[in-house]
Amino acid sequence: MTQAEVAIQNAERAGAAQYEPGLLSSARTKLDRARKEVDDDENESAGRLAEEAIVEANLANAKAKSVREANQADEMKKAIEALKQETSR
């Protein structure tokens, strides 16, 4: 459970709420369900749900980082192009 919580927190810090809200929400939902399963002594099911939450949170994290980095690369390309145009004047 702790690993799932950490994975979700990492995804949140990476911007998953903005770039991958569906995956992040699904990870949170699965973690909540896992907690309920623990309360009901359904530990096997809880473990599976926690693992799924970790995978989804990690995927959301990676996708959010990828989108953020792609946006930064686009901004750098625009800045370089602007500098090229300015130096050619």
Side-chain angles (χ1 to χ4, degrees), residues 11-77:
E12 289 169 342
R13 278 189 228 109
Q18 178 180 359
Y19 300 114
E20 289 296 329
L23 271 174
L24 184 59
S25 176
S26 180
R28 287 179 181 144
T29 298
K30 287 183 179 177
L31 179 57
D32 289 341
R33 286 176 46 208
R35 288 181 178 131
K36 289 176 186 171
E37 292 292 303
V38 168
D39 291 343
D40 294 338
D41 283 331
E42 296 292 336
N43 295 329
E44 186 176 324
S45 177
R48 181 182 45 79
L49 287 166
E51 286 293 323
E52 289 177 16
I54 292 168
V55 169
E56 288 184 0
N58 287 341
L59 180 59
N61 186 345
K63 285 185 169 188
K65 284 181 180 179
S66 177
V67 170
R68 196 175 68 241
E69 289 170 1
N71 289 344
Q72 289 173 345
D74 286 344
E75 290 299 318
M76 290 182 83
K77 286 178 186 177

